[in-house]
Amino acid sequence: GAGVSQSPSNKVTEKGKDVELRCDPISGHTALYWYRQSLGQGLEFLIYFQGNSAPDKSGLPSDRFSAERTGGSVSTLTIQRTQQEDSAVYLCASSFGFGRGGYEQFFGPGTRLTVL
Amino acid sequence: GESVGLHLPTLSVQEGDNSIINCAYSNSASDYFIWYKQESGKGPQFIIDIRSNMDKRQGQRVTVLLNKTVKHLSLQIAATQPGDSAVYFCADSYTGNQFYFGTGTSLTVIP
C-alpha cells in the first residue's frame, strides 16, 4: 500500500516568507509526528498528533511554528517568517497508535527546506 | 532532559564481517527502543525494536541487545553487505508518544 507522502520534496524560500509543508499519513494510522533533521544531525521532535486529542506541541522551537491535522488525516506544518536556521529536512511519520510500549513509526521522504 | 547518544559517529566494516553499532540512553524510565536506517535522501526506515522487558531480539541478519543496567543498546548486523551502508539511529521513548533520536552512526561497508 501507499506509504507516508510529503510535499513539496524541496522548498526554497526567502527569509521572512511563510511556508507550508504537507504530510499525508498512511491510511488508518491514528498518530502523526513531525520531526526536523538538520544536516548531519539526528531527528528533533516537533509535534505529535493522536486521534482527536490535543496535539503535543512541546517540541516546537518557537511560536513561528504551528501545525494542524485536518479530519484526523492530512497534516500541515507552517513556518511563519522563516529564518535561515529553519533550513533543514522536515520529516513526517505516522503509526497505528500510541501509549507506553510504542508503535513503529513509518516515515515519509521528507521536505528539504532552504531559507535564503 | 532526554539524551540518546551513539558512541561512534562513523564505522567502516569489510563486506561479510559483522557490524556492531552502539547507543546509550540516559532515562531509566525509557521502555521502548527502535533502530532506524536512513539512506541518503530518504526518510528513516524501521529495522527492529525492543521493549524494556526484553534484553535481546533478533530479526533477519540483525540483533538488538538491551542492557538496562548500564542503559545501553546495540545493533548487530551479521554478514554486512554494501546495501547496509547508511546512517543508523537509535530512538527511545518513555512517554509512549515522543521518541528521542540519537545523532546517528554512519556505517560504510567496504567491498
Side-chain angles (χ1 to χ4, degrees), chain B residues 36-96:
Chain B
Y36 284 95
K37 172 186 180 183
Q38 186 174 27
E39 296 174 286
S40 181
K42 298 182 180 180
Q45 179 183 11
F46 173 90
I47 302 173
I48 191 167
D49 61 357
I50 188 168
R51 300 179 191 276
S52 59
N53 60 351
M54 303 172 67
D55 54 22
K56 180 179 180 179
R57 189 160 189 231
Q58 288 183 295
Q60 185 177 10
R61 285 201 305 118
V62 295
T63 301
V64 55
L65 299 178
L66 174 63
N67 186 329
K68 295 182 288 294
T69 302
V70 295
K71 297 195 284 289
H72 183 268
L73 192 70
S74 69
L75 176 71
Q76 300 178 1
I77 305 173
T80 314
Q81 302 170 359
D84 295 328
S85 293
V87 176
Y88 290 80
F89 293 96
C90 65
D92 77 312
S93 174
Y94 63 94
T95 66

Side-chain angles (χ1 to χ4, degrees), chain A residues 35-97:
Chain A
Y35 295 90
R36 179 169 69 176
Q37 186 175 31
S38 300
L39 186 64
Q41 300 296 313
L43 278 68
E44 174 189 4
F45 168 79
L46 296 178
I47 189 169
Y48 161 77
F49 295 89
Q50 170 58 43
N52 296 321
S53 302
D56 178 350
K57 304 179 180 180
S58 59
L60 295 178
S62 77
D63 59 6
R64 296 186 295 105
F65 289 72
S66 63
E68 292 184 339
R69 189 179 185 190
T70 55
S73 180
V74 172
S75 178
T76 302
L77 177 69
T78 301
I79 308 173
Q80 296 178 310
R81 305 180 303 281
T82 52
Q83 303 295 312
Q84 289 183 331
E85 59 263 30
D86 299 335
S87 296
V89 175
Y90 289 81
L91 290 159
C92 175
S94 68
S95 71
F96 279 112

Side-chain angles (χ1 to χ4, degrees), chain B residues 10-54:
Chain B
T10 61
L11 177 65
S12 295
V13 298
Q14 206 73 32
E15 180 179 359
D17 288 351
N18 297 333
S19 302
I20 299 176
I21 301 172
N22 296 304
C23 180
Y25 63 97
S26 60
N27 194 317
S28 58
S30 294
D31 61 0
Y32 183 62
F33 307 86
I34 304 180
W35 280 100
Y36 284 95
K37 172 186 180 183
Q38 186 174 27
E39 296 174 286
S40 181
K42 298 182 180 180
Q45 179 183 11
F46 173 90
I47 302 173
I48 191 167
D49 61 357
I50 188 168
R51 300 179 191 276
S52 59
N53 60 351
M54 303 172 67

